[in-house]
Amino acid sequence: MSMGLDKKISLKSMLAFTLPTMSTMVFLSLYTIVDGVFISRYVGANALSATNIVYPVINLVLGTSIMMATGGSAIVAMLLGEKKEQKARSIFTSLTIVVFLIGILISIFGNLFIKNIIYLAGSTEELYADCYDYLSFTLYFVPVAILKTYFDYFLVTAGKPGLGLFSGIIGGVINMLLDYIFMVPLKLGVKGAALATQMGMVIPVLIALSYFTYFSRKKGVLYFEKPKFQLSTVIKACTNGSSEMVTQISTGITTYLFNIKMLKYIGVDGVGAITIVLYAQFLLTSIILGFSSGTAPLISYNYGKEDKESLKKLVKYGYSIIVVFCLFVFGLSEVIAPVITVIFTDKTSTLYSITVVGFRIFAISFLFDGINIFSSALFTAFANGKVSALISFMRSFGFFVPIILLLPLFLGVVGIWLVVPISEVCTIFISAYCYKTFKKQYGYE
């Protein structure tokens, strides 16, 4: 059986292994942006704002899936490194079933209480109809969406990041084609956008299911096997991946705060502006997210294998590459801010001018966020969910909330745009402290 994680670590091999995951994330961000462009151009700025209003609910779904995926994949990768392959497969199967059942529960209860959820998320009467249309169709497909994200991570753990890229491209193309069909000829509005996004996830899920059910049994090492449910294992996976849930929940809350502040200082155009910037943030940090996600299973595997030499190389190369990415992304963002903005709205609009100015201030965060993202992923890979969650919590919530509540009082809208850059700078010190504190325990220096 082949094991894609068992390889000699070099800068070249590390980049080669993580490239498919980085590409998957970049492609995912691109077709997410296409959704936003179609909504903005063919439905309207209010519809774009509505999708951002309900996005905290979607963050909860993503958070659940990523929590189980990152926490569980770290456990599974360590077991594979320890050559406990049957136990790894059993845990993987158990977690898959749990994730699917959670998806069903979210879908049922989400639709039962959808009206309350929408207003709780901060919707106005003006935006309610679009919020309802987008969220209701999204909730119907939660079990599929939650499996899609979950399998993306485990395909990397299985040593098949290329398959994740392949399925992601197919799903993305389907999504973009259906975006056009549903929103332009059929004029389904935001319902069409939600339906296109969710249907684009079906094929990738079927591909992953086929691989883990059949194809991996022939040449792979990770596939479905008779599960042995252990509550302690599920709790351990949740605890270890808690940083990702913290990030997603915090993102939902911070998005809500962004929306409330923008509505107060600018109005609906302000919500539209922050929505465009958050789309751009996803695109510009996708390569960093993909690299961190792709590197984590390698770290877990070599930690389980007790290969300290490879571990040192992974961490050293990881941070070096991240610094280069941060500099590149910041420079690129300052140049392409008008280009990205004009994709969503006309150059003569008020929304355009608000977004470009805000984007260039917000982009300062790209100089620092990569270090924090990689540091959080590093400790998740070591199955240290507490430290990982601490870093995620502080960058996405702990520093964010007091800053967004106070800074706009003195700087107005500029203060809102500066919230994320200042939060990331503050979190750098926590990441550095954690890195130095645990270097002997995990042997990466």
PDB file of all heavy atoms in Angstrom, residues 127-155:
ATOM      1  N   LEU A 127     -33.957  43.552   3.656  1.00  0.00           N
ATOM      2  CA  LEU A 127     -33.092  42.460   3.197  1.00  0.00           C
ATOM      3  C   LEU A 127     -33.664  41.070   3.504  1.00  0.00           C
ATOM      4  O   LEU A 127     -33.118  40.068   3.038  1.00  0.00           O
ATOM      5  CB  LEU A 127     -31.707  42.578   3.844  1.00  0.00           C
ATOM      6  CG  LEU A 127     -30.906  43.845   3.531  1.00  0.00           C
ATOM      7  CD1 LEU A 127     -29.612  43.855   4.342  1.00  0.00           C
ATOM      8  CD2 LEU A 127     -30.595  43.935   2.038  1.00  0.00           C
ATOM      9  N   TYR A 128     -34.766  41.009   4.262  1.00  0.00           N
ATOM     10  CA  TYR A 128     -35.248  39.714   4.763  1.00  0.00           C
ATOM     11  C   TYR A 128     -35.542  38.701   3.649  1.00  0.00           C
ATOM     12  O   TYR A 128     -35.135  37.535   3.743  1.00  0.00           O
ATOM     13  CB  TYR A 128     -36.506  39.893   5.620  1.00  0.00           C
ATOM     14  CG  TYR A 128     -37.064  38.570   6.105  1.00  0.00           C
ATOM     15  CD1 TYR A 128     -36.522  37.944   7.220  1.00  0.00           C
ATOM     16  CD2 TYR A 128     -38.088  37.925   5.409  1.00  0.00           C
ATOM     17  CE1 TYR A 128     -37.003  36.717   7.652  1.00  0.00           C
ATOM     18  CE2 TYR A 128     -38.574  36.699   5.829  1.00  0.00           C
ATOM     19  CZ  TYR A 128     -38.032  36.099   6.949  1.00  0.00           C
ATOM     20  OH  TYR A 128     -38.492  34.871   7.354  1.00  0.00           O
ATOM     21  N   ALA A 129     -36.240  39.110   2.604  1.00  0.00           N
ATOM     22  CA  ALA A 129     -36.656  38.162   1.550  1.00  0.00           C
ATOM     23  C   ALA A 129     -35.448  37.500   0.900  1.00  0.00           C
ATOM     24  O   ALA A 129     -35.422  36.267   0.694  1.00  0.00           O
ATOM     25  CB  ALA A 129     -37.491  38.886   0.492  1.00  0.00           C
ATOM     26  N   ASP A 130     -34.412  38.295   0.582  1.00  0.00           N
ATOM     27  CA  ASP A 130     -33.204  37.720  -0.029  1.00  0.00           C
ATOM     28  C   ASP A 130     -32.455  36.840   0.965  1.00  0.00           C
ATOM     29  O   ASP A 130     -31.900  35.792   0.584  1.00  0.00           O
ATOM     30  CB  ASP A 130     -32.282  38.842  -0.528  1.00  0.00           C
ATOM     31  CG  ASP A 130     -32.787  39.468  -1.825  1.00  0.00           C
ATOM     32  OD1 ASP A 130     -33.444  38.753  -2.611  1.00  0.00           O
ATOM     33  OD2 ASP A 130     -32.527  40.662  -2.055  1.00  0.00           O
ATOM     34  N   CYS A 131     -32.425  37.257   2.222  1.00  0.00           N
ATOM     35  CA  CYS A 131     -31.784  36.428   3.255  1.00  0.00           C
ATOM     36  C   CYS A 131     -32.463  35.066   3.349  1.00  0.00           C
ATOM     37  O   CYS A 131     -31.806  34.019   3.415  1.00  0.00           O
ATOM     38  CB  CYS A 131     -31.848  37.124   4.620  1.00  0.00           C
ATOM     39  SG  CYS A 131     -30.764  38.544   4.808  1.00  0.00           S
ATOM     40  N   TYR A 132     -33.797  35.079   3.344  1.00  0.00           N
ATOM     41  CA  TYR A 132     -34.571  33.846   3.465  1.00  0.00           C
ATOM     42  C   TYR A 132     -34.317  32.928   2.267  1.00  0.00           C
ATOM     43  O   TYR A 132     -34.073  31.724   2.426  1.00  0.00           O
ATOM     44  CB  TYR A 132     -36.058  34.148   3.575  1.00  0.00           C
ATOM     45  CG  TYR A 132     -36.913  32.909   3.713  1.00  0.00           C
ATOM     46  CD1 TYR A 132     -37.183  32.374   4.966  1.00  0.00           C
ATOM     47  CD2 TYR A 132     -37.420  32.252   2.582  1.00  0.00           C
ATOM     48  CE1 TYR A 132     -37.947  31.222   5.106  1.00  0.00           C
ATOM     49  CE2 TYR A 132     -38.174  31.099   2.712  1.00  0.00           C
ATOM     50  CZ  TYR A 132     -38.435  30.586   3.971  1.00  0.00           C
ATOM     51  OH  TYR A 132     -39.173  29.438   4.096  1.00  0.00           O
ATOM     52  N   ASP A 133     -34.381  33.495   1.063  1.00  0.00           N
ATOM     53  CA  ASP A 133     -34.192  32.687  -0.139  1.00  0.00           C
ATOM     54  C   ASP A 133     -32.812  32.025  -0.163  1.00  0.00           C
ATOM     55  O   ASP A 133     -32.686  30.838  -0.486  1.00  0.00           O
ATOM     56  CB  ASP A 133     -34.359  33.551  -1.396  1.00  0.00           C
ATOM     57  CG  ASP A 133     -35.813  33.918  -1.652  1.00  0.00           C
ATOM     58  OD1 ASP A 133     -36.692  33.263  -1.069  1.00  0.00           O
ATOM     59  OD2 ASP A 133     -36.057  34.857  -2.435  1.00  0.00           O
ATOM     60  N   TYR A 134     -31.793  32.781   0.200  1.00  0.00           N
ATOM     61  CA  TYR A 134     -30.424  32.243   0.136  1.00  0.00           C
ATOM     62  C   TYR A 134     -30.188  31.194   1.223  1.00  0.00           C
ATOM     63  O   TYR A 134     -29.662  30.113   0.955  1.00  0.00           O
ATOM     64  CB  TYR A 134     -29.410  33.375   0.288  1.00  0.00           C
ATOM     65  CG  TYR A 134     -27.985  32.952  -0.027  1.00  0.00           C
ATOM     66  CD1 TYR A 134     -27.546  32.885  -1.343  1.00  0.00           C
ATOM     67  CD2 TYR A 134     -27.096  32.598   0.983  1.00  0.00           C
ATOM     68  CE1 TYR A 134     -26.255  32.488  -1.644  1.00  0.00           C
ATOM     69  CE2 TYR A 134     -25.801  32.196   0.694  1.00  0.00           C
ATOM     70  CZ  TYR A 134     -25.389  32.146  -0.622  1.00  0.00           C
ATOM     71  OH  TYR A 134     -24.109  31.735  -0.912  1.00  0.00           O
ATOM     72  N   LEU A 135     -30.614  31.503   2.455  1.00  0.00           N
ATOM     73  CA  LEU A 135     -30.335  30.607   3.573  1.00  0.00           C
ATOM     74  C   LEU A 135     -31.157  29.322   3.509  1.00  0.00           C
ATOM     75  O   LEU A 135     -30.645  28.235   3.800  1.00  0.00           O
ATOM     76  CB  LEU A 135     -30.590  31.318   4.896  1.00  0.00           C
ATOM     77  CG  LEU A 135     -30.235  30.528   6.154  1.00  0.00           C
ATOM     78  CD1 LEU A 135     -28.761  30.134   6.160  1.00  0.00           C
ATOM     79  CD2 LEU A 135     -30.576  31.340   7.410  1.00  0.00           C
ATOM     80  N   SER A 136     -32.418  29.410   3.112  1.00  0.00           N
ATOM     81  CA  SER A 136     -33.273  28.221   3.105  1.00  0.00           C
ATOM     82  C   SER A 136     -32.736  27.164   2.147  1.00  0.00           C
ATOM     83  O   SER A 136     -32.658  25.982   2.497  1.00  0.00           O
ATOM     84  CB  SER A 136     -34.710  28.590   2.751  1.00  0.00           C
ATOM     85  OG  SER A 136     -34.786  29.170   1.466  1.00  0.00           O
ATOM     86  N   PHE A 137     -32.344  27.585   0.949  1.00  0.00           N
ATOM     87  CA  PHE A 137     -31.811  26.623  -0.018  1.00  0.00           C
ATOM     88  C   PHE A 137     -30.456  26.075   0.439  1.00  0.00           C
ATOM     89  O   PHE A 137     -30.135  24.914   0.184  1.00  0.00           O
ATOM     90  CB  PHE A 137     -31.685  27.270  -1.405  1.00  0.00           C
ATOM     91  CG  PHE A 137     -32.955  27.219  -2.199  1.00  0.00           C
ATOM     92  CD1 PHE A 137     -33.950  28.154  -1.990  1.00  0.00           C
ATOM     93  CD2 PHE A 137     -33.170  26.221  -3.130  1.00  0.00           C
ATOM     94  CE1 PHE A 137     -35.145  28.111  -2.707  1.00  0.00           C
ATOM     95  CE2 PHE A 137     -34.351  26.161  -3.855  1.00  0.00           C
ATOM     96  CZ  PHE A 137     -35.342  27.100  -3.649  1.00  0.00           C
ATOM     97  N   THR A 138     -29.690  26.904   1.116  1.00  0.00           N
ATOM     98  CA  THR A 138     -28.404  26.444   1.634  1.00  0.00           C
ATOM     99  C   THR A 138     -28.591  25.382   2.711  1.00  0.00           C
ATOM    100  O   THR A 138     -27.884  24.365   2.725  1.00  0.00           O
ATOM    101  CB  THR A 138     -27.607  27.633   2.216  1.00  0.00           C
ATOM    102  OG1 THR A 138     -27.355  28.588   1.176  1.00  0.00           O
ATOM    103  CG2 THR A 138     -26.279  27.178   2.802  1.00  0.00           C
ATOM    104  N   LEU A 139     -29.555  25.592   3.584  1.00  0.00           N
ATOM    105  CA  LEU A 139     -29.776  24.655   4.689  1.00  0.00           C
ATOM    106  C   LEU A 139     -30.232  23.274   4.214  1.00  0.00           C
ATOM    107  O   LEU A 139     -29.907  22.265   4.843  1.00  0.00           O
ATOM    108  CB  LEU A 139     -30.806  25.240   5.665  1.00  0.00           C
ATOM    109  CG  LEU A 139     -30.305  26.395   6.540  1.00  0.00           C
ATOM    110  CD1 LEU A 139     -31.460  27.033   7.299  1.00  0.00           C
ATOM    111  CD2 LEU A 139     -29.242  25.908   7.523  1.00  0.00           C
ATOM    112  N   TYR A 140     -30.974  23.220   3.124  1.00  0.00           N
ATOM    113  CA  TYR A 140     -31.416  21.926   2.606  1.00  0.00           C
ATOM    114  C   TYR A 140     -30.230  21.011   2.269  1.00  0.00           C
ATOM    115  O   TYR A 140     -30.328  19.790   2.365  1.00  0.00           O
ATOM    116  CB  TYR A 140     -32.278  22.110   1.347  1.00  0.00           C
ATOM    117  CG  TYR A 140     -33.632  22.728   1.612  1.00  0.00           C
ATOM    118  CD1 TYR A 140     -34.114  23.762   0.810  1.00  0.00           C
ATOM    119  CD2 TYR A 140     -34.432  22.286   2.659  1.00  0.00           C
ATOM    120  CE1 TYR A 140     -35.351  24.344   1.045  1.00  0.00           C
ATOM    121  CE2 TYR A 140     -35.673  22.865   2.905  1.00  0.00           C
ATOM    122  CZ  TYR A 140     -36.124  23.900   2.096  1.00  0.00           C
ATOM    123  OH  TYR A 140     -37.353  24.470   2.339  1.00  0.00           O
ATOM    124  N   PHE A 141     -29.114  21.614   1.867  1.00  0.00           N
ATOM    125  CA  PHE A 141     -27.967  20.830   1.401  1.00  0.00           C
ATOM    126  C   PHE A 141     -26.850  20.709   2.439  1.00  0.00           C
ATOM    127  O   PHE A 141     -25.744  20.281   2.103  1.00  0.00           O
ATOM    128  CB  PHE A 141     -27.385  21.473   0.128  1.00  0.00           C
ATOM    129  CG  PHE A 141     -28.195  21.218  -1.109  1.00  0.00           C
ATOM    130  CD1 PHE A 141     -29.269  22.028  -1.433  1.00  0.00           C
ATOM    131  CD2 PHE A 141     -27.882  20.170  -1.962  1.00  0.00           C
ATOM    132  CE1 PHE A 141     -30.016  21.807  -2.583  1.00  0.00           C
ATOM    133  CE2 PHE A 141     -28.611  19.933  -3.106  1.00  0.00           C
ATOM    134  CZ  PHE A 141     -29.690  20.760  -3.419  1.00  0.00           C
ATOM    135  N   VAL A 142     -27.125  21.061   3.690  1.00  0.00           N
ATOM    136  CA  VAL A 142     -26.068  21.032   4.710  1.00  0.00           C
ATOM    137  C   VAL A 142     -25.362  19.680   4.828  1.00  0.00           C
ATOM    138  O   VAL A 142     -24.129  19.625   4.917  1.00  0.00           O
ATOM    139  CB  VAL A 142     -26.617  21.488   6.082  1.00  0.00           C
ATOM    140  CG1 VAL A 142     -25.656  21.116   7.203  1.00  0.00           C
ATOM    141  CG2 VAL A 142     -26.824  22.991   6.086  1.00  0.00           C
ATOM    142  N   PRO A 143     -26.078  18.532   4.826  1.00  0.00           N
ATOM    143  CA  PRO A 143     -25.367  17.251   4.933  1.00  0.00           C
ATOM    144  C   PRO A 143     -24.337  17.050   3.818  1.00  0.00           C
ATOM    145  O   PRO A 143     -23.255  16.490   4.051  1.00  0.00           O
ATOM    146  CB  PRO A 143     -26.495  16.208   4.831  1.00  0.00           C
ATOM    147  CG  PRO A 143     -27.709  16.927   5.330  1.00  0.00           C
ATOM    148  CD  PRO A 143     -27.550  18.337   4.832  1.00  0.00           C
ATOM    149  N   VAL A 144     -24.650  17.510   2.610  1.00  0.00           N
ATOM    150  CA  VAL A 144     -23.711  17.395   1.495  1.00  0.00           C
ATOM    151  C   VAL A 144     -22.548  18.369   1.686  1.00  0.00           C
ATOM    152  O   VAL A 144     -21.374  18.011   1.531  1.00  0.00           O
ATOM    153  CB  VAL A 144     -24.411  17.675   0.150  1.00  0.00           C
ATOM    154  CG1 VAL A 144     -23.403  17.684  -1.000  1.00  0.00           C
ATOM    155  CG2 VAL A 144     -25.481  16.634  -0.117  1.00  0.00           C
ATOM    156  N   ALA A 145     -22.869  19.616   2.030  1.00  0.00           N
ATOM    157  CA  ALA A 145     -21.839  20.648   2.193  1.00  0.00           C
ATOM    158  C   ALA A 145     -20.845  20.281   3.293  1.00  0.00           C
ATOM    159  O   ALA A 145     -19.636  20.501   3.155  1.00  0.00           O
ATOM    160  CB  ALA A 145     -22.495  21.994   2.511  1.00  0.00           C
ATOM    161  N   ILE A 146     -21.349  19.708   4.364  1.00  0.00           N
ATOM    162  CA  ILE A 146     -20.488  19.376   5.497  1.00  0.00           C
ATOM    163  C   ILE A 146     -19.547  18.221   5.141  1.00  0.00           C
ATOM    164  O   ILE A 146     -18.386  18.187   5.555  1.00  0.00           O
ATOM    165  CB  ILE A 146     -21.357  19.060   6.744  1.00  0.00           C
ATOM    166  CG1 ILE A 146     -20.618  19.431   8.019  1.00  0.00           C
ATOM    167  CG2 ILE A 146     -21.818  17.631   6.785  1.00  0.00           C
ATOM    168  CD1 ILE A 146     -21.496  19.416   9.259  1.00  0.00           C
ATOM    169  N   LEU A 147     -20.030  17.275   4.334  1.00  0.00           N
ATOM    170  CA  LEU A 147     -19.176  16.175   3.877  1.00  0.00           C
ATOM    171  C   LEU A 147     -18.124  16.652   2.876  1.00  0.00           C
ATOM    172  O   LEU A 147     -17.003  16.162   2.865  1.00  0.00           O
ATOM    173  CB  LEU A 147     -20.026  15.070   3.247  1.00  0.00           C
ATOM    174  CG  LEU A 147     -20.758  14.129   4.196  1.00  0.00           C
ATOM    175  CD1 LEU A 147     -21.598  13.128   3.398  1.00  0.00           C
ATOM    176  CD2 LEU A 147     -19.785  13.381   5.100  1.00  0.00           C
ATOM    177  N   LYS A 148     -18.507  17.613   2.027  1.00  0.00           N
ATOM    178  CA  LYS A 148     -17.566  18.147   1.025  1.00  0.00           C
ATOM    179  C   LYS A 148     -16.312  18.711   1.699  1.00  0.00           C
ATOM    180  O   LYS A 148     -15.172  18.360   1.354  1.00  0.00           O
ATOM    181  CB  LYS A 148     -18.261  19.229   0.200  1.00  0.00           C
ATOM    182  CG  LYS A 148     -17.346  20.165  -0.584  1.00  0.00           C
ATOM    183  CD  LYS A 148     -16.589  19.471  -1.702  1.00  0.00           C
ATOM    184  CE  LYS A 148     -15.890  20.456  -2.628  1.00  0.00           C
ATOM    185  NZ  LYS A 148     -14.853  21.277  -1.971  1.00  0.00           N
ATOM    186  N   THR A 149     -16.503  19.577   2.674  1.00  0.00           N
ATOM    187  CA  THR A 149     -15.366  20.177   3.372  1.00  0.00           C
ATOM    188  C   THR A 149     -14.575  19.128   4.138  1.00  0.00           C
ATOM    189  O   THR A 149     -13.342  19.127   4.131  1.00  0.00           O
ATOM    190  CB  THR A 149     -15.862  21.265   4.346  1.00  0.00           C
ATOM    191  OG1 THR A 149     -16.693  22.188   3.638  1.00  0.00           O
ATOM    192  CG2 THR A 149     -14.707  22.014   4.966  1.00  0.00           C
ATOM    193  N   TYR A 150     -15.284  18.225   4.793  1.00  0.00           N
ATOM    194  CA  TYR A 150     -14.658  17.158   5.580  1.00  0.00           C
ATOM    195  C   TYR A 150     -13.769  16.274   4.698  1.00  0.00           C
ATOM    196  O   TYR A 150     -12.608  16.000   5.036  1.00  0.00           O
ATOM    197  CB  TYR A 150     -15.766  16.335   6.228  1.00  0.00           C
ATOM    198  CG  TYR A 150     -15.338  15.099   6.970  1.00  0.00           C
ATOM    199  CD1 TYR A 150     -14.898  15.163   8.287  1.00  0.00           C
ATOM    200  CD2 TYR A 150     -15.411  13.845   6.363  1.00  0.00           C
ATOM    201  CE1 TYR A 150     -14.526  14.019   8.981  1.00  0.00           C
ATOM    202  CE2 TYR A 150     -15.045  12.704   7.042  1.00  0.00           C
ATOM    203  CZ  TYR A 150     -14.606  12.791   8.341  1.00  0.00           C
ATOM    204  OH  TYR A 150     -14.241  11.656   9.012  1.00  0.00           O
ATOM    205  N   PHE A 151     -14.278  15.857   3.553  1.00  0.00           N
ATOM    206  CA  PHE A 151     -13.507  14.995   2.661  1.00  0.00           C
ATOM    207  C   PHE A 151     -12.309  15.712   2.039  1.00  0.00           C
ATOM    208  O   PHE A 151     -11.281  15.093   1.751  1.00  0.00           O
ATOM    209  CB  PHE A 151     -14.403  14.429   1.551  1.00  0.00           C
ATOM    210  CG  PHE A 151     -15.301  13.313   1.997  1.00  0.00           C
ATOM    211  CD1 PHE A 151     -16.603  13.205   1.507  1.00  0.00           C
ATOM    212  CD2 PHE A 151     -14.861  12.358   2.900  1.00  0.00           C
ATOM    213  CE1 PHE A 151     -17.436  12.169   1.916  1.00  0.00           C
ATOM    214  CE2 PHE A 151     -15.695  11.316   3.315  1.00  0.00           C
ATOM    215  CZ  PHE A 151     -16.978  11.230   2.825  1.00  0.00           C
ATOM    216  N   ASP A 152     -12.429  17.015   1.813  1.00  0.00           N
ATOM    217  CA  ASP A 152     -11.300  17.776   1.274  1.00  0.00           C
ATOM    218  C   ASP A 152     -10.066  17.613   2.149  1.00  0.00           C
ATOM    219  O   ASP A 152      -8.946  17.445   1.653  1.00  0.00           O
ATOM    220  CB  ASP A 152     -11.649  19.266   1.170  1.00  0.00           C
ATOM    221  CG  ASP A 152     -12.524  19.584  -0.028  1.00  0.00           C
ATOM    222  OD1 ASP A 152     -12.645  18.717  -0.924  1.00  0.00           O
ATOM    223  OD2 ASP A 152     -13.093  20.691  -0.080  1.00  0.00           O
ATOM    224  N   TYR A 153     -10.256  17.653   3.458  1.00  0.00           N
ATOM    225  CA  TYR A 153      -9.133  17.514   4.393  1.00  0.00           C
ATOM    226  C   TYR A 153      -8.621  16.076   4.436  1.00  0.00           C
ATOM    227  O   TYR A 153      -7.409  15.835   4.478  1.00  0.00           O
ATOM    228  CB  TYR A 153      -9.558  17.966   5.792  1.00  0.00           C
ATOM    229  CG  TYR A 153      -9.565  19.467   5.963  1.00  0.00           C
ATOM    230  CD1 TYR A 153     -10.662  20.228   5.548  1.00  0.00           C
ATOM    231  CD2 TYR A 153      -8.485  20.137   6.522  1.00  0.00           C
ATOM    232  CE1 TYR A 153     -10.669  21.615   5.701  1.00  0.00           C
ATOM    233  CE2 TYR A 153      -8.489  21.513   6.675  1.00  0.00           C
ATOM    234  CZ  TYR A 153      -9.577  22.245   6.258  1.00  0.00           C
ATOM    235  OH  TYR A 153      -9.584  23.618   6.395  1.00  0.00           O
ATOM    236  N   PHE A 154      -9.532  15.111   4.443  1.00  0.00           N
ATOM    237  CA  PHE A 154      -9.100  13.718   4.582  1.00  0.00           C
ATOM    238  C   PHE A 154      -8.475  13.162   3.305  1.00  0.00           C
ATOM    239  O   PHE A 154      -7.721  12.192   3.358  1.00  0.00           O
ATOM    240  CB  PHE A 154     -10.248  12.840   5.071  1.00  0.00           C
ATOM    241  CG  PHE A 154     -10.300  12.745   6.572  1.00  0.00           C
ATOM    242  CD1 PHE A 154     -11.181  13.524   7.297  1.00  0.00           C
ATOM    243  CD2 PHE A 154      -9.437  11.908   7.250  1.00  0.00           C
ATOM    244  CE1 PHE A 154     -11.220  13.456   8.681  1.00  0.00           C
ATOM    245  CE2 PHE A 154      -9.455  11.824   8.631  1.00  0.00           C
ATOM    246  CZ  PHE A 154     -10.354  12.602   9.360  1.00  0.00           C
ATOM    247  N   LEU A 155      -8.778  13.750   2.159  1.00  0.00           N
ATOM    248  CA  LEU A 155      -8.077  13.337   0.941  1.00  0.00           C
ATOM    249  C   LEU A 155      -6.603  13.709   1.031  1.00  0.00           C
ATOM    250  O   LEU A 155      -5.735  12.993   0.523  1.00  0.00           O
ATOM    251  CB  LEU A 155      -8.720  13.974  -0.296  1.00  0.00           C
ATOM    252  CG  LEU A 155     -10.030  13.342  -0.758  1.00  0.00           C
ATOM    253  CD1 LEU A 155     -10.681  14.175  -1.860  1.00  0.00           C
ATOM    254  CD2 LEU A 155      -9.802  11.911  -1.276  1.00  0.00           C
TER     255      LEU A 155
END
